[in-house]
């Protein structure tokens, strides 16, 4: 499936490891995904204390939610990565996993340090918006 998402660069702005904007055509269907959490199939938080491992599980769960909606990572138009920490190194550990997963599809993203997330021992959550055209090959 070919993505309808177009990443836009802003040459006048500082070089960043993500696009500054993204767009999709007017006839695309937007998918608003709930925050992807580091939970296993039983609802337990995985890898307590490990920001990178939790980010990886969030990405795995994000892929599953996208698949259920008929989409994939290349259809994501933006992300928000929430990390329960005041340490920049913890934020970077989570971000490095997310950035590596998306590769060349470096969507506009926001990385935030927050005080607490919803599940016990949860350190990372990833929100995403995607865009797809129904019936596209």
């Amino acid at each position: 499936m070919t993505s309808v998402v177009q990443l836009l660069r802003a040459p006048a702005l500082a070089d960043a490891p993500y696009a500054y904007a993204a767009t999709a055509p007017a006839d695309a269907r937007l998918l608003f995904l709930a925050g992807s959490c580091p939970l296993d199939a039983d609802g337990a938080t995985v890898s307590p204390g490990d920001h990178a491992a939790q980010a990886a599980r969030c990405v795995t769960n994000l892929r599953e939610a996208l698949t259920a909606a008929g989409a994939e990572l290349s259809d994501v138009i933006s992300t928000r990565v929430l990390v329960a920490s005041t340490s920049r190194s913890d934020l970077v550990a989570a971000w490095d996993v997310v950035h590596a997963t998306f590769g060349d599809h470096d969507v506009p993203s926001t990385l935030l340090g927050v005080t607490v997330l919803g599940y016990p021992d949860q350190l990372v959550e990833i929100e995403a918006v995607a865009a797809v055209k129904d019936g596209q090959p």
Side-chain angles (χ1 to χ4, degrees), residues 90-112:
D90 293 338
L91 275 71
V92 170
W95 171 253
D96 285 347
V97 171
V98 175
H99 181 66
T101 299
F102 277 87
D104 290 340
H105 188 66
D106 54 350
V107 298
S109 297
T110 299
L111 176 63
L112 297 169

Side-chain angles (χ1 to χ4, degrees), residues 39-67:
L39 305 177
D40 64 17
D42 295 323
T45 303
V46 302
S47 307
D50 188 334
H51 292 86
Q54 285 198 7
R57 184 54 183 242
C58 289
V59 169
T60 296
N61 292 344
L62 176 63
R63 285 182 196 261
E64 289 295 326
L66 287 165
T67 297

